[in-house]
Amino acid sequence: LLEILGSIINGFALPLKDEHKTFLQRALLPLHKPKCVGMYHSQLLYCITQFVEKDPHMAEVVIRGLLKYWPVTNSQKEVLILGELEEVLELTQSAQFAEVMVPLFKQISMCINSTHFQVAERALFLWNNDYIVNLVAQHRHVLLPVCFGALEKNAMNHWNPVVGGLTINVRKMLQEMDPELFEQCHEKWKLDQKKRLEEDEARRERWSRVDSLAARAA
């Protein structure tokens, strides 16, 4: 059925009718939710990309839909959707990208830090796409602070050496893109880490005093 729908969507006239946009939001995007999405994902992806190719404004709708139905516990679905996201971003114009880039890169940062190496690896592969890197470069002052912490955490601690190596490559690319901004983000990250350590230490001391008082009362 999705294969047939793909041909029908390909023949939609422009501008897209409201019922066609509603069909995308209410029928196609929710199909990312079932566990069995892998069985029909390639056909679903074709339908989705047809909408974005016809009307670039649909890119924002699609990306928000992907974020809404992003899997929480299914790593294989995450890998599929990251691949779909790359194809959608290749069709996304800068104006539409700007509308969704912050929540999108917060999600990508979470994927970068995933303990499942295939999810982290697929998220980092997004940076191999020149068009996506160009979009990031245009909005680097907003996006670099969003994803900087995830890259630093991976470079220092990720258990998988391949993911660690990919992270270092992305980190180096961002540093070369804007050395001054990169250094600002690095300094802020170090201050945030120091503050977090101090807060953790203060919290441990408070609990230690509580335990001590409880022991005396007993």
Side-chain angles (χ1 to χ4, degrees):
L1 181 57
L2 284 169
E3 288 178 357
I4 296 169
L5 285 170
S7 298
I8 294 171
I9 295 165
N10 188 42
F12 281 171
L14 294 175
L16 291 174
K17 296 179 180 179
D18 289 341
E19 54 262 37
H20 296 157
K21 297 176 183 179
T22 301
F23 174 73
L24 170 64
Q25 292 178 282
R26 296 187 182 177
L28 291 181
L29 288 172
L31 287 175
H32 290 90
K33 193 172 182 179
K35 292 181 180 179
C36 60
V37 63
M39 297 174 64
Y40 54 81
H41 185 258
S42 60
Q43 292 85 0
L44 177 61
L45 174 59
Y46 178 75
C47 292
I48 295 289
T49 52
Q50 287 298 303
F51 270 98
V52 181
E53 283 182 4
K54 284 188 169 293
D55 185 351
H57 291 90
M58 291 295 98
E60 180 185 348
V61 174
V62 169
I63 292 171
R64 290 192 187 278
L66 292 178
L67 292 175
K68 179 180 179 180
Y69 297 108
W70 201 277
V72 177
T73 58
N74 191 323
S75 299
Q76 293 307 314
K77 277 179 67 177
E78 279 196 275
V79 173
L80 278 178
I81 292 180
L82 284 164
E84 178 176 353
L85 182 63
E86 180 171 4
E87 293 203 33
V88 172
L89 285 174
E90 286 181 342
L91 302 170
T92 303
Q93 296 179 2
S94 183
Q96 284 71 50
F97 178 74
E99 295 296 321
V100 294
M101 63 184 180
V102 173
L104 173 61
F105 271 78
K106 285 181 179 178
Q107 183 63 59
I108 290 173
S109 296
M110 291 173 63
C111 292
I112 287 172
N113 285 153
S114 174
T115 53
H116 194 291
F117 80 95
Q118 289 179 326
V119 174
E121 186 178 60
R122 190 64 187 85
L124 289 163
F125 279 157
L126 293 173
W127 304 89
N128 290 340
N129 188 303
D130 291 339
Y131 185 77
I132 295 175
V133 170
N134 184 50
L135 288 174
V136 172
Q138 292 176 44
H139 304 279
R140 61 186 180 276
H141 289 90
V142 175
L143 293 180
L144 188 51
V146 171
C147 60
F148 188 87
L151 294 170
E152 287 297 302
K153 182 179 178 182
N154 257 26
M156 294 170 62
N157 299 318
H158 203 281
W159 67 271
N160 186 280
V162 175
V163 171
L166 289 170
T167 302
I168 290 169
N169 290 340
V170 172
R171 189 177 179 278
K172 182 180 178 182
M173 179 182 65
L174 292 173
Q175 187 174 16
E176 292 172 350
M177 185 184 293
D178 193 331
E180 184 178 347
L181 177 61
F182 185 92
E183 189 58 33
Q184 290 173 5
C185 291
H186 192 223
E187 290 300 319
K188 185 179 184 302
W189 179 80
K190 288 193 293 184
L191 288 173
D192 289 344
Q193 289 295 105
K194 183 180 178 181
K195 183 179 178 181
R196 191 173 293 112
L197 288 172
E198 290 172 350
E199 289 174 351
D200 289 344
E201 183 62 30
R203 194 177 297 112
R204 282 194 293 268
E205 288 180 3
R206 285 197 301 272
W207 279 110
S208 178
R209 288 197 295 269
V210 170
D211 290 341
S212 178
L213 290 171
R216 290 176 187 176

